Amino acid sequence: MIPPLGVSTPTARLTWLDVLRGWAALVVALHHASYVYLPDVRIALQGWFDPGTYGVLVFFLVSGYIVPASLERRESVRGFWIGRFFRIYPLLAVACLLAILPFLLGVRGLRAGLEQYHPVTAVLAHVTMMQDLLAVPNAMNVLWTLSYEMAFYLLVVALFVVGAHRRSAPVSVGLAAAALVVGGLVPTWLLSGLLSRTAGVGVVVAACFTALVAAIAAAVSGRAGARIAGGLLGGLLAAVLVLLNGRVGAWQGLAMMALMFAGTAVYRAEHGQIPARSGIAAAVLVPAGSLVAGVWNMHGYWHAQLVWAGTVLTAAATFAAGWLLRHRRFPRWATGLGTASFSIYLLHPLLLMVAAQFLGTSGPANVPGLLVFVVVLLAAGWASQRWIEAPAQRLGRRLARRAPSTAAEPPVLAASS
């Protein structure tokens, strides 16, 4: 439930992260809503700034800051995956079902030609959450970001099981360097393009689904050898797909992963797990490297270069401002918005699908319609968080508490910066 208006009191929750989540979700929703309600504003803005990508990058920085910490706090890979499953999949399943309901009723086709794929292929790809890395269209436009979230989770677990999880700073800088050096050399969907000629997209999806299930099953094992093997298999799968099979350019996929690990490095420096200079280096070099990688790989398209540079810098500045204000009190409506941010993020395309059905995707500005959309979205987000997300998360926490702790990691790597 979204708390009532007022001022929040300090709690165990990191309220500044809630504020950033809520802000990012609302920005993405308003960006997509501009296609229906403010088309002229969207057209005027698109050559200078990308609010959608900006919001996503803020999300990624927040995930990088807190997700690895949640794994290490539990000291249990099994508990981590249980928590992630119940945090994401219940609402994701409901949203995907609502997204394809018009198709099932024969009202309209699926997004981006998804109906042309075998149903098993489409379902398996979305179950992995990595459909955007498997050459399968997203059932909803916003789902592409979950593919990179899943890749990040797999890499985080891989580093954790071998005791290298505190090397976030060099990992983040290395990923940014890779985005600059090799990211522009790899075509999009390289693996699927090569393998689909002989095996077909369905076989590629099935193979990745099998590898993912095997990796997670082994990683949650009580046996150290299986846990390490599973974690490394998952990390390898994520690295290969991000580098060789993204819908976006490999440089952009690597840059987004670098920004997530930069968020992790900031957390570690703040909590004394790595030297402050390492955290500062990651916080400066990774956004800079990501910016340069985009400008370099989009040479000749100065508007695109300008948009990417402004988006990266603004997202990094927003995260930095939130971090600098982390000890401040925030209004409860702002933290409540963050609590419902995942619902807002997943539900707003569904509301826009209904609006576009009646209003179309272009026309005069419709500010009253936009205000109604925002009110309905916030109400739907509140209801979804209360009756879908919160019960699922409570169940996940109960199950995660029963998960055994992971055996101690290797001391040399665990102490590395």
Side-chain angles (χ1 to χ4, degrees):
M1 178 178 180
I2 294 180
L5 296 176
V7 177
S8 63
T9 55
T11 67
R13 291 181 61 81
L14 298 171
T15 55
W16 68 278
L17 294 178
D18 282 333
V19 172
L20 288 183
R21 286 192 192 102
W23 167 250
L26 196 57
V27 168
V28 173
L30 290 174
H31 168 64
H32 291 144
S34 68
Y35 283 79
V36 176
Y37 299 103
L38 298 174
D40 292 340
V41 173
R42 179 188 63 81
I43 292 172
L45 190 62
Q46 67 182 3
W48 307 99
F49 184 68
D50 185 348
T53 302
Y54 157 78
V56 166
L57 294 184
V58 172
F59 267 127
F60 284 162
L61 285 163
V62 169
S63 289
Y65 182 92
I66 198 61
V67 167
S70 70
L71 167 60
E72 293 157 30
R73 183 175 62 252
R74 289 187 175 99
E75 295 186 336
S76 168
V77 175
R78 183 181 301 177
F80 171 77
W81 280 120
I82 290 173
R84 288 291 89 192
F85 178 88
F86 285 97
R87 175 70 178 89
I88 295 172
Y89 277 92
L91 180 58
L92 178 62
V94 171
C96 285
L97 179 60
L98 292 175
I100 67 172
L101 186 59
F103 172 75
L104 297 177
L105 296 176
V107 175
R108 58 185 293 173
L110 294 176
R111 181 185 175 276
L114 182 58
E115 68 270 16
Q116 299 173 14
Y117 291 73
H118 193 284
V120 174
T121 297
V123 170
L124 288 183
H126 281 78
V127 168
T128 68
M129 288 202 322
M130 304 183 81
Q131 67 284 340
D132 207 66
L133 296 169
L134 294 173
V136 174
N138 298 283
M140 294 189 298
N141 59 336
V142 298
L143 297 185
W144 73 270
T145 63
L146 298 186
S147 295
Y148 290 91
E149 287 273 356
M150 175 60 84
F152 178 64
Y153 301 160
L154 291 169
L155 289 172
V156 165
V157 171
L159 293 171
F160 181 77
V161 297
V162 298
H165 49 288
R166 292 193 177 178
R167 297 194 173 189
S168 308
V171 167
S172 64
V173 174
L175 286 167
L180 178 61
V181 176
V182 303
L185 303 178
V186 183
T188 58
W189 284 334
L190 175 61
L191 285 182
S192 291
L194 293 175
L195 296 176
S196 62
R197 299 172 187 173
T198 55
V201 174
V203 174
V204 176
V205 170
C208 289
F209 173 81
T210 303
L212 179 64
V213 171
I216 294 177
V220 302
S221 168
R223 301 176 60 183
R227 184 167 58 248
I228 292 173
L232 292 177
L233 174 60
L236 177 63
L237 176 65
V240 168
L241 290 179
V242 170
L243 179 61
L244 301 179
N245 214 48
R247 176 184 55 83
V248 301
W251 69 265
Q252 190 172 356
L254 290 168
M256 291 186 294
M257 302 303 293
L259 288 167
M260 283 192 261
F261 277 106
T264 311
V266 170
Y267 174 90
R268 297 200 187 287
E270 178 188 342
H271 291 82
Q273 298 176 2
I274 62 174
R277 63 179 182 274
S278 297
I280 294 172
V284 173
L285 293 177
V286 171
S290 300
L291 186 156
V292 174
V295 171
W296 174 259
N297 286 288
M298 291 187 288
H299 59 275
Y301 300 91
W302 72 270
H303 263 116
Q305 293 172 320
L306 180 63
V307 169
W308 174 254
T311 300
V312 171
L313 289 176
T314 309
T318 300
F319 181 79
W323 184 82
L324 290 172
L325 296 173
R326 65 193 183 279
H327 299 305
R328 298 290 185 91
R329 295 183 177 185
F330 294 95
R332 290 192 175 181
W333 63 263
T335 57
L337 187 66
T339 303
S341 59
F342 190 48
S343 287
I344 292 171
Y345 185 75
L346 285 189
L347 295 183
H348 82 265
L350 302 175
L351 296 179
L352 289 173
M353 180 175 66
V354 175
Q357 188 72 28
F358 296 99
L359 301 177
T361 56
S362 63
N366 184 358
V367 175
L370 178 61
L371 294 177
V372 171
F373 163 77
V374 171
V375 171
V376 173
L377 175 61
L378 293 179
W382 171 82
S384 171
Q385 195 282 327
R386 180 175 183 179
W387 289 307
I388 298 177
E389 287 193 78
Q393 290 174 37
R394 287 194 293 269
L395 176 59
R397 284 193 290 269
R398 286 198 296 270
L399 295 175
R401 282 196 291 267
R402 301 174 185 175
S405 297
T406 304
E409 62 271 6
V412 175
L413 291 178
S416 300
S417 62

